[in-house]
Amino acid sequence: MRLAGPLRIVALVVTVGLTWIVVSILLGGPGSGFPRIQQLFTSPESSVTTEPRARKYKCGLPQPCPEEHLAFRMVSGAANVIGPKICLEDKMLMSSVKDNVGRGLNIALVNGVSGELIEARAFDMWAGDVNDLLKFIRPLHEGTLVFVASYDDPATKMNEETRKLFSDLGSKNVKDLAFRDSWVFVGAKGVQNKSPFEQHVKNSKHTNKYEGWPEALEMEGCIPRRTTAS
């Protein structure tokens, strides 16, 4: 009976010690606040560090263009559902939102020196009159930049003169352009060589992304400003 008192004291000391150890573990040690307890109530998603977003430049390009260059990005239409887009120097020249695109060829004429839009029009190459297109591109001035994005069908109404005019603007694929192909192209009046800015995908039931249409094309880059334009 005489040992009951000391045993109670020892038991109390042990209990206090164990309590202190558990509290220290949960609190993460002196001076560390409550990280361990916070971890119990923190979801894994909230503990993931958010990576910084990659910086985007004009028209969404991943890198800035050199001086005296024009930044552009263009997307052909997707099937006959989503219209094309043509962006130049962070300005949307043609898009469904601007309500200035349509089935066929969507063409924006740009001053090659200033980068200013001259005119933008859509030409129906399925049921339209090809002469409207010819009247649009025949009288181009030297140095005029020509941006072209297809939508649905770019070629049914094309004739030999149309193909030659685009070829003279720097296209190497227009000679093979056919029904429902996807095509994006940037050319210029007075160029001596074929344009490096052109993409073309044939309409083929074996490779089409959409039923009856190939994939949409995206193209971006930096175009040197023209030194003169008349």
Side-chain angles (χ1 to χ4, degrees):
M1 297 298 293
R2 293 182 180 180
L3 296 175
L7 287 176
R8 289 176 182 173
I9 294 174
V10 171
L12 179 61
V13 171
V14 171
T15 302
V16 171
L18 290 174
T19 302
W20 174 254
I21 292 172
V22 172
V23 171
S24 297
I25 291 174
L26 289 176
L27 294 181
S32 60
F34 303 92
R36 303 292 177 85
I37 293 178
Q38 290 175 347
Q39 289 175 6
L40 296 177
F41 299 96
T42 303
S43 63
E45 292 81 1
S46 62
S47 62
V48 176
T49 303
T50 304
E51 294 183 2
R53 291 184 179 179
R55 181 176 177 181
K56 295 293 184 180
Y57 297 88
K58 290 180 179 179
C59 290
L61 268 63
Q63 295 180 342
C65 287
E67 291 187 11
E68 298 305 316
H69 283 66
L70 303 171
F72 80 93
R73 181 175 183 271
M74 55 199 305
V75 185
S76 70
N80 62 348
V81 179
I82 302 175
K85 296 179 182 179
I86 300 177
C87 174
L88 181 70
E89 286 291 284
D90 246 8
K91 296 179 181 178
M92 194 62 69
L93 305 184
M94 302 189 76
S95 70
S96 296
V97 174
K98 292 182 69 69
D99 196 25
N100 63 349
V101 298
R103 177 176 66 181
L105 295 177
N106 295 268
I107 304 176
L109 305 181
V110 173
N111 184 303
V113 177
S114 66
E116 293 298 318
L117 177 65
I118 298 171
E119 190 173 0
R121 285 184 60 185
F123 298 90
D124 189 341
M125 301 303 289
W126 169 255
D129 186 348
V130 71
N131 288 307
D132 293 336
L133 172 60
L134 291 171
K135 292 175 184 177
F136 189 69
I137 59 178
R138 275 177 187 150
L140 297 182
H141 295 295
E142 191 82 7
T144 301
L145 298 176
V146 183
F147 294 78
V148 186
S150 66
Y151 183 23
D152 189 6
D153 174 27
T156 294
K157 289 285 185 174
M158 270 200 177
N159 55 23
E160 288 303 313
E161 182 182 0
T162 309
R163 295 179 191 275
K164 184 181 185 306
L165 286 170
F166 280 116
S167 180
D168 291 343
L169 294 172
S171 172
K172 59 182 178 292
N173 297 119
V174 68
K175 65 181 185 299
D176 301 317
L177 198 64
F179 174 67
R180 285 186 175 175
D181 287 358
S182 288
W183 185 44
V184 286
F185 165 66
V186 182
K189 179 71 173 180
V191 295
Q192 302 300 316
N193 302 310
K194 293 303 180 183
S195 172
F197 302 113
E198 183 174 26
Q199 293 183 21
H200 174 220
V201 175
K202 298 290 291 182
N203 168 26
S204 170
K205 63 181 180 179
H206 302 294
T207 58
N208 281 349
K209 182 175 182 179
Y210 311 105
E211 185 178 352
W213 291 269
E215 64 184 294
L217 294 173
E218 296 186 27
M219 184 170 66
E220 61 187 32
C222 304
I223 302 172
R225 289 181 185 269
R226 309 285 288 188
T227 54
T228 59
S230 56

